[in-house]
Every structure is written in structure tokens, then in C-alpha cells.
Amino acid sequence: MMAALLLLLLGCSSFPGLLTVQINQRPIIGILAQETLDLYRYGKTYIAAPYVKYLESAGCRVVPIRLNLTHEEYERIFHSINGILFPGGAGNLKTSAFAKAAKTFYELALKAFDAGDHFPIWGTCLGLQLLTMFTAGKDLLINTDTENIALPLNLTNAAASSKMFWDFPPDVYKALSTEPLTGNFHHFSISVQAFLEDEKLSKFYSILSTNNDRKSVEFVSTMEARKNFHHFPSSEEEAAALIYNYSPRYVPTSDYIQIYFF
Ligand SMILES: *[C@@H]1O[C@H](CO)[C@@H](O)[C@H](O)[C@H]1NC(C)=O
Ligand SMILES: *[C@@H]1O[C@H](CO)[C@@H](O)[C@H](O)[C@H]1NC(C)=O
């Protein structure tokens, strides 16, 4: 669902080390393997090499995470790596060994976050679809006409300050929203409507970009978990609380030149 190009390296080098306060300049990121479908004769599970390359190009080292390990084994890996990538592909979102292992890491990451620890999870395509399922607790995906189409991103207001995009060079940021730089190879999407109607999803993630499929169905193309859950109870209350409801006065005798008065 999310374009591979977006992985662009975003500060893999800023993933914190887990057990040490020293900055880990060469973090280790896990990539979750998936069940092989049509290339079974080569092996039962696989990781597409481009995922390894793009993490490496950001300065990470990669650990493959095999399927069907025990919970204890996954927990040990979880405490040994700095983040995990759920790749795109195909597979059952509920019953595959891929989905089950991904859920284990998702739950461990939530638990770690509650304890003040950070464990970044990146989901591309099927990986992103899985994340919407884990968070919503149900499958909200719909069929979209989004196979083999390159699109510019319709970036939302939340994008510029997001962890994903804040330090993009301005020309790259602009190009992302004006040129068809993101590849879409998916038959399912989370529509903007379903996203907004689901309270769990809309509380947990901010939409960073949307796109229209060939039939003008608007879907979420990039989203990011919120850093915390504090928010105004409604968008009306939020709008009413913002300082933009007020105008500063020009006070030439003041050191501040302009001041808000209430
Ligand atoms: C994982 O375990 C299931 C159930 O035992 C089995 O059917 C499947 O082949 C295993 N998959 C892999 C990749 O080992
Ligand atoms: C961006 O949003 C507009 C308005 O909804 C839509 O018409 C357009 O197709 C979208 N662009 C892309 C590339 O999805």
C-alpha cells in the first residue's frame, strides 16, 4: 500500500539502542519473512532483497526474522533488534504465520511503548494493511483499483511535522507531492472514509498522505502512529482552542512588538 520509495532512509540512524544510552550508529532492523507462494521450490519462506538493500542504504544492518518461532524466541529477538519492517507481499492477514508473527511484534512494541521504550515498526503494503487490522481489531480493507500505478502523494497538514517527513529535503518533499514517485501495487486499501469512521484507527494514527485510485476512491497512502494520545475531544473544540482565533496587537513600545491580549 505504501510506496517503497518512501522508506527513504529516514533516520534509521536515529533509532535508539535499547539497552544502552550510547547512540547506536548502525542499528539492526528485523525484516519479517513471509510464506512463499509461487516460488515454493526455492524455499518455504522469503524476504525480497530490495527491502534489505533499502534498509542497508540507510545505514542499518538487517536481521531476517523467521516464521513459526516460539513466543520466547520472538521476545528474545525483539529485545535484540532496534526496529522491524513488515514487507509487502501477499498472504492471509489472519491465518498466515507471517500475520501471527507480525502480531507478536506489534503487541510487544505496544507493551514496550507503555513502559517508555521505543520500538519502531514500519509497514509497507501488506505490512501496512496488517497494522490497520491489528489496531482496528478487524479487517476494514476494501478492493481498490491500485495495481501498477505511480502517483504523487496528496500530503496532509500532518505530514510536514511527522517523524516520517519532517527532515525531508524541501525539494524531495515537493517532488513527492507533485511527481508520480510512489509505486502502488495493491488490490486492497484502507479508504479514508473507513479510517475516519473507525475510532481506534483514527486515534492511533495520523494520515500523512492520501491518494485516489483509478475510480476516485480515496485511500490512505501513508500514516504514522501518534506520539501520544492527547487530543481535543472534537475538531470543533480543537479549532476553537487554537491561537489563530486571536489577533496580536502591534505594540511599538514593547520589546515584543506584537502581543496577544485576552
Ligand atoms: C508453520 O506452522 C504451520 C502449522 O504447523 C505449518 O502448516 C506451516 O507450514 C509452518 N510454516 C513454516 C514456514 O514453517
Ligand atoms: C489528490 O486529491 C484530489 C482531491 O481529492 C484528487 O482529485 C486527486 O486525484 C488526488 N491525487 C492523487 C495523485 O491521488
Side-chain angles (χ1 to χ4, degrees):
M1 177 174 283
M2 200 174 343
L5 282 169
L6 284 184
L7 228 187
L8 283 177
L9 342 180
L10 289 177
C12 267
S13 56
S14 65
F15 288 152
L18 284 175
L19 299 172
T20 153
V21 290
Q22 287 171 328
I23 292 174
N24 182 352
Q25 299 289 4
R26 295 201 60 208
I28 297 179
I29 304 300
I31 301 181
L32 190 56
Q34 290 176 74
E35 285 101 330
T36 310
L37 299 177
D38 47 352
L39 297 171
Y40 199 73
R41 66 182 183 281
Y42 293 104
K44 283 169 79 177
T45 62
Y46 77 100
I47 290 173
Y51 289 104
V52 179
K53 294 176 190 183
Y54 73 23
L55 287 179
E56 286 175 346
S57 70
C60 306
R61 290 164 293 162
V62 170
V63 163
I65 303 191
R66 311 290 288 270
L67 304 183
N68 279 358
L69 304 186
T70 63
H71 188 82
E72 288 67 37
E73 287 170 313
Y74 283 133
E75 210 162 1
R76 198 145 48 86
I77 294 171
F78 178 83
H79 289 295
S80 310
I81 60 178
N82 303 108
I84 193 168
L85 185 153
F86 300 159
N92 188 294
L93 294 177
K94 292 191 187 108
T95 57
S96 65
F98 170 67
K100 286 179 186 159
K103 185 140 200 251
T104 301
F105 279 92
Y106 175 81
E107 284 167 357
L108 288 170
L110 288 187
K111 210 166 101 189
F113 186 82
D114 288 343
D117 188 13
H118 283 259
F119 186 84
I121 296 180
W122 180 280
T124 296
C125 204
L126 183 68
L128 183 147
Q129 295 172 350
L130 267 180
L131 288 172
T132 67
M133 258 203 37
F134 296 156
T135 307
K138 57 189 170 206
D139 184 354
L140 294 170
L141 300 169
I142 55 159
N143 255 132
T144 47
D145 191 345
T146 35
E147 179 58 30
N148 198 9
I149 181 169
L151 298 168
L153 299 178
N154 271 340
L155 294 164
T156 64
N157 289 338
S161 56
S162 66
K163 288 193 280 300
M164 203 177 310
F165 291 120
W166 73 271
D167 62 349
F168 263 48
D171 56 331
V172 179
Y173 190 74
K174 180 152 185 267
L176 265 180
S177 63
T178 51
E179 295 172 37
L181 292 183
T182 60
N184 288 264
F185 300 91
H186 50 105
H187 302 277
F188 295 94
S189 304
I190 179 88
S191 70
V192 170
Q193 188 185 348
F195 179 100
L196 294 176
E197 280 172 9
D198 188 84
E199 204 182 328
K200 287 185 182 144
L201 277 185
S202 51
K203 271 190 175 164
F204 197 83
Y205 302 101
S206 303
I207 298 178
L208 303 187
S209 75
T210 62
N211 276 108
N212 282 27
D213 83 343
R214 291 191 183 89
K215 300 193 177 97
S216 296
V217 175
E218 195 182 21
F219 64 95
V220 177
S221 46
T222 330
M223 63 186 199
E224 179 177 276
R226 294 174 194 270
K227 206 165 191 171
N228 67 47
F229 297 123
H230 300 186
H231 60 92
F232 285 94
S234 70
S235 51
E236 287 78 7
E237 280 184 57
E238 180 183 272
L242 292 170
I243 197 150
Y244 311 111
N245 293 296
Y246 306 92
S247 298
R249 293 274 302 271
Y250 174 38
V251 188
T253 53
S254 137
D255 290 342
Y256 302 107
I257 312 297
Q258 282 195 317
I259 302 177
Y260 288 94
F261 292 98
F262 304 97

